[in-house]
Amino acid sequence: MSKKIPTSRVDKLLGSMGYGSRAEMARLGKAGGIVLDGADLTDVSKRIPVTPDLPSRMEIDGEALDPVAGLVVLLNKPLGMTCSHKEDGALVYDVLPDRWRRRDPAISTIGRLDKQTSGLLLLTDDGDLLHRVISPKRHVAKVYRATLARPLNGTEGALFASGELVLEGEDKPLAPAVLEVVSPTEALLTVTEGRYHQVRRMFAAAGNHVEALHRERLGGLALPDDLAPGAWRLLSEAEIASIFVS
């Protein structure tokens, strides 16, 4: 039996994607701002099939329609931005299209980077994907580049790999992590957990202090060299799949 293709009123669909209210979509349609398959769609009460190829067939104000569902954004998070919807100051959502804040389901970060950590950050409206990436059962590796206040002493690699390191204030040992020394005061650390300020606290436990922290990789997905701080782009299905390939 073939799977039934869902349909939706145009105004309701676009409203759920953050483009505006039904009244606003009605005005936009009458003004010729909604195009489907090359023709103006003036009646926004019309029901249309919501197929995977809809973004390639519909334009809103001259731009291709956003992904209807499964929006996955790769952001090179700058320093000083918070992974929050509500905190004061600069938020990671500020660099994205304003309409995305109004999407339903809402866009959320996949995990968090603290205010003073930069690098690879994913955002999505796909709750299943979010939970798959952050699930402890998946063991999705995260690679951080840490710049340290003092030279490494040579014991950190064994300590982090032991599976016996217990962070201050906790009672459960960390899963083994891999340290790669880049220079006396710089290292790459691969972890498979996401505890609060984990990398900073690991180096603190080894008697050092992290002065700068940058996430370079999530699973098999690396932060592109040509994606500037504050820049973002949508991920392809192949790139999303690469997250789960180590």
Side-chain angles (χ1 to χ4, degrees):
M1 181 182 295
S2 61
K3 187 175 180 180
K4 186 176 180 180
I5 298 174
T7 64
S8 175
R9 281 178 54 128
V10 173
D11 53 3
K12 183 177 180 181
L13 174 66
L14 297 181
S16 71
M17 297 172 68
Y19 282 100
S21 67
R22 291 191 178 187
E24 289 170 333
M25 292 303 95
R27 288 193 293 269
L28 184 63
K30 289 178 181 179
I34 303 175
V35 176
L36 178 62
D37 294 330
D40 290 349
L41 198 162
T42 57
D43 181 7
V44 295
S45 66
K46 179 181 179 181
R47 296 190 71 89
I48 60 171
V50 184
T51 55
D53 66 344
L54 188 59
S56 67
R57 297 168 45 224
M58 180 177 277
E59 292 184 357
I60 309 297
D61 263 347
E63 296 185 359
L65 183 73
D66 293 333
V68 177
L71 185 79
V72 185
V73 182
L74 169 63
L75 169 68
N76 186 351
K77 177 190 171 297
L79 294 174
M81 282 192 165
T82 304
C83 296
S84 169
H85 284 282
K86 298 180 180 179
E87 292 187 30
D88 294 334
L91 308 179
V92 294
Y93 301 95
D94 294 340
V95 302
L96 303 177
D98 186 60
R99 64 180 179 272
W100 288 2
R101 293 194 187 209
R102 302 188 294 268
R103 283 179 70 103
D104 183 19
I107 290 180
S108 300
T109 60
I110 299 181
R112 290 192 170 197
L113 296 179
D114 66 55
K115 192 173 184 178
Q116 297 307 319
T117 299
S118 60
L120 191 159
L121 180 69
L122 298 184
L123 303 94
T124 188
D125 63 349
D126 185 338
D128 289 340
L129 175 66
L130 188 155
H131 290 297
R132 277 195 294 143
V133 175
I134 67 175
S135 170
K137 296 179 181 179
R138 288 279 180 170
H139 305 292
V140 175
K142 295 169 279 287
V143 181
Y144 294 86
R145 183 177 294 268
T147 302
L148 305 167
R150 292 176 290 280
L152 295 158
N153 61 32
T155 65
E156 296 90 352
L159 175 64
F160 296 163
S162 68
E164 299 176 355
L165 176 60
V166 179
L167 297 176
E168 184 176 355
E170 299 189 11
D171 53 18
K172 181 181 178 181
L174 293 173
V178 177
L179 182 77
E180 178 184 343
V181 177
V182 177
S183 76
T185 56
E186 188 175 44
L188 296 175
L189 183 61
T190 302
V191 300
T192 57
E193 298 173 289
R195 302 198 201 181
Y196 180 72
H197 287 175
Q198 180 175 337
V199 174
R200 297 180 188 277
R201 294 166 68 201
M202 288 174 70
F203 280 105
N208 214 323
H209 174 73
V210 174
E211 292 193 327
L213 194 60
H214 181 79
R215 183 156 71 186
E216 297 191 347
R217 180 178 290 271
L218 183 67
L221 179 68
L223 184 67
D225 293 334
D226 61 353
L227 195 67
W232 59 269
R233 64 174 175 81
L234 295 176
L235 289 187
S236 67
E237 290 187 7
E239 289 173 318
I240 296 169
S242 74
I243 296 169
F244 303 101
V245 179
S246 57

